[in-house]
Amino acid sequence: MFKLSNAGLLLGLVVRLIVHTNDIIGLLQTGAILVCAVFIVFSFSVGYLLGGPGIDTQRVLGVGTAQRNFAAALLVATSNFEDPSVVSIIMVTSILMMIVVLIAGPKFIELNQGTGVEIEQPLS
C-alpha cells in the first residue's frame, strides 16, 4: 500500500504539472518563484532559530516549519479560488520545498559526520 500511495501521489503531481504548465511558465516571468524561494528560506530559518538549544531539534523544526501542508493548501485553493495561478503557485512552492529538503537533508548528515565533533545535547 505504501508503494501504491507513493505512486498515486507522484502521478497526481505529474498530471497537475502537465495541466498547469502554461501557468507555471507565466509565474516564472512574474518573479513569483523567487518569492516562493524566499518564503521557504524564511520559514526554515524561523523554525531553526526557534528550535531550542539542541542542533537536532533545530534541524527538525526548521524542515517542519518550511514543509507546509500542501494537500490542505490545494484543497482550499481549488475550493475557493477560480484563478488557476493560485493552484500553480502552490504546486511550484511544494516542488521547490521538496527539492530543498532533498538537497539539505544529506548536507545535515554530512555536517554531523564531517566535523568529528560531538554535538552536546542539553540535559532535560
Side-chain angles (χ1 to χ4, degrees), residues 23-82:
D23 297 324
I24 293 170
I25 292 170
L27 289 173
L28 287 170
Q29 297 169 347
T30 64
I33 306 295
L34 177 64
V35 173
C36 292
V38 169
F39 169 73
I40 291 166
V41 170
F42 177 76
S43 297
F44 178 85
S45 300
V46 168
Y48 186 85
L49 293 173
L50 297 176
I55 190 78
D56 292 337
T57 307
Q58 289 175 334
R59 291 175 181 168
V60 168
L61 287 176
V63 171
T65 304
Q67 184 77 29
R68 306 312 311 153
N69 189 346
F70 292 105
L74 283 173
L75 176 66
V76 171
T78 56
S79 299
N80 297 316
F81 298 99
E82 297 294 324

Side-chain angles (χ1 to χ4, degrees), residues 68-115:
R68 306 312 311 153
N69 189 346
F70 292 105
L74 283 173
L75 176 66
V76 171
T78 56
S79 299
N80 297 316
F81 298 99
E82 297 294 324
D83 187 8
S85 63
V86 173
V87 174
S88 299
I89 197 73
I90 292 171
M91 295 299 296
V92 167
T93 306
S94 67
I95 291 169
L96 282 175
M97 188 57 222
M98 284 190 282
I99 291 170
V100 168
V101 168
L102 288 173
I103 292 171
K107 298 295 181 193
F108 285 153
I109 294 170
E110 289 174 13
L111 288 174
N112 279 350
Q113 294 174 349
T115 59

